[in-house]
Amino acid sequence: MQILKATGLKKHYRVRGETVEAVKNLSLSCAAGEVVAFLGANGAGKTTTLKMLTGLVRPDAGTVEVCGEDPNRDPKALRQIGAVLEGNRNLYWKLSVQENLEYFGVLKGLNHRQARSRAAELLQRFGLTEKKNTLVFQLSRGMQQKLAIALSVIHQPRLLLLDEPTLGLDVEATLGIKSMVMELAEQGQAILLTTHQLDVAQELSTRVVIMRQGEILTEKPTGELIAEYSGQSYTIQFAGELDTLQQHKLRSLPVNVQEDRLLYFGSPAGLYEVLDVLRPLDIRHLEPTIADLTDIFLHLQKGALHV
Ligand SMILES: Nc1ncnc2c1ncn2[C@@H]1O[C@H](COP(=O)(O)OP(=O)(O)OP(=O)(O)O)[C@@H](O)[C@H]1O
């Protein structure tokens, strides 16, 4: 079931007499149970898009529907959206975990009894019960982030927007957030997630949407995107340093260079051109590689630069 449907979104800003087209023409959807990784380099237009989805920024053109209602026209549609957009700012630091949950539950329209029972359910489900009486400012960053996500779903919204949910968290806390996101998706939550941590995006997402300069560059199911590139990527390990001419030539070829190795995307025939550029460096190793989302993202960004 489609929960989010945004069509033809556009937004420009005027900065010192100049026009910045932050979002040029963007259509986006998210179904129940789907985790969509919404990716793009800094300035691609992700935050502006999220703000248009939540009614914080009015689009110049286009429509947003969340469960069939437009949050820019009908504030009731906002009840279907949970969002953790800016770190932990939505937490009350001097209240306990449980008090925060109950308080937000009531704020989101639950009565006291409902808020208390929903708080108990979320505390248990997300391993926060032990901390229920701890004041928020005494929690670790990972716990605060878990709580922020729990608060955003207290009123059981159909769509959850997560902006960089694992930013700055250690390995264990990241694992905790990842399993929380997976559990929410399994229970039918539609989740749109922005992150620059592409390993996290790869692990969590069912679909990837990559934005570049206000437009969608690629949109595909994550597994399909990875499979597509995995059949045609090779790692070449070489000895020695690339000279300036080699670096220049490689820039126009479908390769990502990383110190003493490079990742090539393309047909086996195209490999010869790359090996030619590398000559006379010693080729230590050449093997087919399973591409990950980081490789693919860099490759697509590079490809777009040469269009
Ligand atoms: N309030 C604003 N006023 C003027 N320009 C803005 C404003 N907000 C964003 N922009 C510009 O719009 C473009 C898109 O920015 P946006 O923050 O949406 O990108 P982003 O993909 O979220 O980037 P990041 O990954 O760095 O958060 C950028 O060029 C940015 O400078």
Side-chain angles (χ1 to χ4, degrees):
M1 181 192 172
Q2 214 59 262
I3 301 295
L4 167 71
K5 189 162 175 275
T7 314
L9 290 180
K10 290 185 187 173
K11 179 71 198 173
H12 79 279
Y13 296 107
R14 294 283 296 168
V15 184
R16 288 185 289 277
E18 300 270 312
T19 300
V20 177
E21 287 190 82
V23 176
K24 289 178 188 157
N25 183 9
L26 181 129
S27 298
L28 190 66
S29 66
C30 189
E34 230 191 344
V35 180
V36 175
F38 187 39
L39 311 175
N42 292 133
K46 304 175 301 289
T47 306
T48 303
T49 303
L50 290 187
K51 286 182 176 168
M52 288 194 279
L53 300 181
T54 48
L56 289 170
V57 161
R58 189 170 275 275
D60 298 334
T63 54
V64 178
E65 281 180 23
V66 179
C67 298
E69 292 172 334
D70 181 350
N72 288 296
R73 296 219 169 86
D74 183 358
K76 274 211 307 292
L78 292 174
R79 297 187 66 85
Q80 302 294 355
I81 304 177
V84 184
L85 294 187
E86 295 188 78
N88 303 320
R89 293 239 312 256
N90 54 348
L91 303 175
Y92 280 92
W93 293 79
K94 292 192 175 168
L95 294 183
S96 71
V97 169
Q98 175 147 358
E99 285 164 343
N100 263 277
L101 283 162
E102 290 182 15
Y103 179 76
F104 273 91
V106 171
L107 212 62
K108 295 282 184 175
L110 307 183
N111 64 36
H112 275 107
R113 198 176 49 78
Q114 289 167 328
R116 209 167 307 130
S117 105
R118 187 81 182 120
E121 184 191 327
L122 290 169
L123 284 169
Q124 222 240 326
R125 179 140 52 104
F126 297 124
L128 289 163
T129 308
E130 255 181 52
K131 302 279 179 193
K132 69 178 185 180
N133 296 319
T134 307
L135 303 183
V136 166
F137 77 88
Q138 294 169 325
L139 291 174
S140 68
R141 276 198 65 169
M143 281 287 178
Q144 284 169 1
Q145 184 66 343
K146 266 189 166 186
L147 177 60
I149 297 175
L151 291 177
S152 70
V153 296
I154 190 125
H155 58 303
Q156 298 183 295
R158 307 298 300 276
L159 175 67
L160 176 59
L161 306 176
L162 296 175
D163 196 6
E164 292 282 2
T166 52
L167 185 70
L169 299 188
D170 66 20
V171 177
E172 207 184 329
T174 300
L175 277 176
I177 297 296
K178 285 195 290 198
S179 58
M180 192 171 184
V181 170
M182 284 191 258
E183 192 177 329
L184 285 164
E186 264 163 36
Q187 284 166 358
Q189 186 79 63
I191 301 175
L192 184 67
L193 160 101
T194 78
T195 181
H196 291 292
Q197 293 171 296
L198 298 179
D199 55 330
V200 171
Q202 177 166 344
E203 214 174 320
L204 291 181
S205 66
T206 46
R207 193 151 52 87
V208 177
V209 176
I210 302 179
M211 238 189 134
R212 187 171 185 279
Q213 295 181 350
E215 291 171 304
I216 290 182
L217 183 60
T218 301
E219 176 177 5
K220 281 222 167 98
T222 313
E224 205 177 291
L225 186 67
I226 287 167
E228 187 181 306
Y229 281 91
S230 291
Q232 45 166 316
S233 74
Y234 298 82
T235 299
I236 304 167
Q237 196 181 356
F238 53 89
E241 292 212 350
L242 297 167
D243 63 28
T244 317
L245 186 61
Q246 284 170 317
Q247 288 175 18
H248 176 74
K249 285 183 175 168
L250 287 174
R251 258 178 236 133
S252 61
L253 293 176
V255 294
N256 301 333
V257 183
Q258 300 150 8
E259 293 177 12
D260 67 339
R261 69 187 59 219
L262 54 83
L263 194 77
Y264 162 80
F265 285 102
S267 67
L271 261 176
Y272 291 106
E273 198 179 346
V274 177
L275 294 173
D276 229 25
V277 173
L278 291 178
R279 210 178 291 167
L281 295 179
D282 208 14
I283 304 300
R284 290 266 165 90
H285 201 67
L286 192 161
E287 62 174 2
T289 311
I290 295 177
D292 65 20
L293 196 51
T294 306
D295 302 326
I296 296 168
F297 180 85
L298 290 172
H299 172 66
L300 289 169
Q301 296 280 340
K302 186 175 174 183
L305 270 180
H306 292 289
V307 169

